[in-house]
Amino acid sequence: MDWNWQVIFDHIPDLLNGAVLTVQLVVFSGIIGLFLGLILALLRLSKNWLVQVLPFLYIFFFRGTPLLVQIFLIYYGLGQFEAVRNSFLWEPVLSQAYWCAIIAFTLNTSAYLAEIIRGAIQNIPVGELEAADAIGMSKWQKLTRITLPRAFGIVIPAYSNEVIFMLKGSALASTIALMDITGVARTISARTYTLMELFFAAGVVYLLLSWVILFSFRLFEKRMNRHASYVPPDVVTNTIP
């Protein structure tokens, strides 16, 4: 087999254009999914089982079914209902592959993030919550000043992994004719008969994006959890011979 480097160099701009769409899908779904996941996590932590049941069913469905199925249900399935086609959301949102992909990715990632955030909240040291109660904080103050900031610091590594999973899962957007990285690679390879070269180049682009995401989260985690590496001045002084 003859390896054609030229076709890779010629179509790097096209792959980078596809990368822009991929980043948009991941960023929008990641941010919206984080807020939705936070709400679901707080509902799951309720002591009232009636409040817990709907978030539980939501999380169970979106974690238990493939992302591809969810994309197809939203993009192809919703159009089967006349009420949806006649709604004000049909033309600008639900009939567009771009927005359907974002909706599917958001719903999917929010289900995973809800469980991640719930676990982080439950892992907050009890002493910190007891200290908040001891100084007379209200439930809202304790939530916004203690619980959520501490949980966010704990959840960053798992959140970064979920963003990477969403980056890789975004390749499924090409199944509904979106020209993301995979969609561009598949279209060009079908035209030039250079499948190996184009998908190799697409894989490199995904790898670089993953590295940027992981590096960014690593810096952010180090800043958010800088208290974990704090060394008191007297300890530093005592270690000097």
Side-chain angles (χ1 to χ4, degrees):
M1 183 186 70
D2 294 329
W3 187 269
N4 189 347
W5 287 104
Q6 188 60 43
V7 72
I8 296 177
F9 297 139
D10 290 343
H11 294 288
I12 283 178
D14 299 313
L15 291 171
L16 294 179
N17 287 334
V20 172
L21 177 58
T22 295
V23 170
Q24 288 178 359
L25 295 175
V26 173
V27 170
F28 289 157
S29 61
I31 294 176
I32 302 172
L34 178 61
F35 286 103
L36 182 57
L38 174 60
I39 295 172
L40 291 170
L42 294 176
L43 293 176
R44 286 278 285 124
L45 289 169
S46 172
K47 296 179 180 179
N48 188 335
W49 71 270
L50 290 176
V51 177
Q52 292 185 29
V53 63
L54 286 179
F56 172 79
L57 293 175
Y58 174 96
I59 293 169
F60 179 77
F61 175 80
F62 282 100
R63 292 181 70 193
T65 56
L67 177 57
L68 181 61
V69 172
Q70 297 164 19
I71 293 173
F72 284 173
L73 284 175
I74 293 172
Y75 183 62
Y76 296 113
L78 291 179
Q80 304 300 314
F81 298 96
E82 186 175 353
V84 175
R85 294 197 304 271
N86 294 333
S87 69
F88 71 96
L89 289 174
W90 173 250
E91 213 36 63
V93 178
L94 297 178
S95 64
Q96 305 297 320
Y98 177 81
W99 292 112
C100 286
I102 289 179
I103 292 172
F105 294 156
T106 298
L107 297 178
N108 181 272
T109 193
S110 65
Y112 286 94
L113 289 174
E115 289 299 283
I116 293 172
I117 296 171
R118 182 172 70 91
I121 292 175
Q122 291 176 332
N123 282 323
I124 296 175
V126 178
E128 297 183 15
L129 301 177
E130 291 176 345
D133 293 330
I135 63 175
M137 280 190 177
S138 65
K139 289 184 178 180
W140 177 253
Q141 288 176 325
K142 184 168 69 172
L143 177 67
T144 55
R145 297 183 183 182
I146 304 296
T147 306
L148 293 184
R150 287 290 285 117
F152 192 59
I154 296 171
V155 86
I156 291 176
Y159 182 46
S160 66
N161 289 336
E162 177 60 23
V163 173
I164 294 297
F165 289 145
M166 284 305 303
L167 173 65
K168 294 185 288 187
S170 68
L172 296 174
S174 63
T175 61
I176 53 176
L178 284 177
M179 296 300 286
D180 65 332
I181 298 173
T182 302
V184 170
R186 186 168 61 179
T187 300
I188 297 175
S189 64
R191 188 173 66 245
T192 60
Y193 301 101
T194 52
L195 186 143
M196 289 290 293
E197 291 88 338
L198 265 300
F199 277 97
F200 169 79
V204 171
V205 175
Y206 278 114
L207 189 63
L208 292 174
L209 288 176
S210 297
W211 181 84
V212 171
I213 292 171
L214 289 174
F215 182 74
S216 301
F217 271 101
R218 184 65 60 84
L219 293 178
F220 186 57
E221 180 186 2
K222 187 176 181 180
R223 179 174 179 80
M224 284 293 298
N225 295 330
R226 56 187 180 273
H227 61 278
S229 57
Y230 173 74
V231 179
D234 57 336
V235 173
V236 176
T237 305
N238 292 335
T239 57
I240 299 176

